[in-house]
Amino acid sequence: MPKKTIKSSEAPAAIGPYSQAVQAGPWIWASGQIPLDPSTGIKIEGDIAAQTARCLENLKAVLSAAGADLSDVVKTTVFLADLGDFEGMNRVYGSYFPVDAPARSTVQVARLPKDARVEIEAVCYQEPLSSPREKGSSLP
């Protein structure tokens, strides 16, 4: 199964030797997104809610470049610099996944790139195009 590198100009460029996402067959692995402004590459200021929203908007842009969206996400990992930010992150995160939320792990880490407060990565599954599944529906 060949792999395909996914790149979006609507999301921040990678800040190291990695791809924004990689697709192999129906699976997409999206690298962790931190709250960088896609047009400047500079970390946005603001509380955990603002930073979480920016991470998820960046993630949406990467997935869109692969022809996917948040309804295709089956698993996320959220990295927090401080688990004290969990409630604020969770409130914003929930607004992006209002139904059929993906599986998730949330962990506190010692430090994130560019001293971000949050980073979010995702794994997605897209059924083959021959499938009648509509976007946003639950997997059978």
Side-chain angles (χ1 to χ4, degrees):
M1 167 179 345
K3 71 177 186 175
K4 176 182 174 187
T5 300
I6 307 299
K7 184 173 183 180
S8 171
S9 61
E10 302 297 314
I15 58 174
Y18 61 89
S19 299
Q20 290 173 324
V22 173
Q23 183 168 15
W27 294 96
I28 302 166
W29 289 268
S31 294
Q33 292 295 313
I34 60 174
L36 300 181
D37 180 306
S39 61
T40 65
I42 296 172
K43 182 182 75 175
I44 67 159
E45 296 303 319
D47 62 7
I48 191 64
Q51 289 200 7
T52 300
R54 182 73 263 158
C55 291
L56 290 165
E57 289 298 321
N58 292 345
L59 180 60
K60 281 174 48 176
V62 171
L63 296 180
S64 179
D69 61 36
L70 292 178
S71 72
D72 296 308
V73 175
V74 295
K75 170 73 166 73
T76 62
T77 305
V78 178
F79 304 94
L80 291 173
D82 180 355
L83 273 176
D85 284 334
F86 182 85
E87 185 178 326
M89 174 282 298
N90 204 46
R91 190 172 27 260
V92 173
Y93 180 98
S95 72
Y96 281 80
F97 297 102
V99 295
D100 297 328
R104 181 180 83 189
S105 299
T106 303
V107 296
Q108 179 174 311
V109 295
R111 191 171 180 198
L112 290 166
K114 299 198 179 257
D115 291 320
R117 295 172 71 175
V118 60
E119 179 174 359
I120 303 172
E121 67 179 21
V123 177
C124 302
Y125 178 82
Q126 289 184 299
E127 290 191 38
L129 292 177
S130 62
S131 171
R133 180 174 82 96
E134 295 180 18
K135 285 282 186 190
S137 68
S138 297
L139 292 175

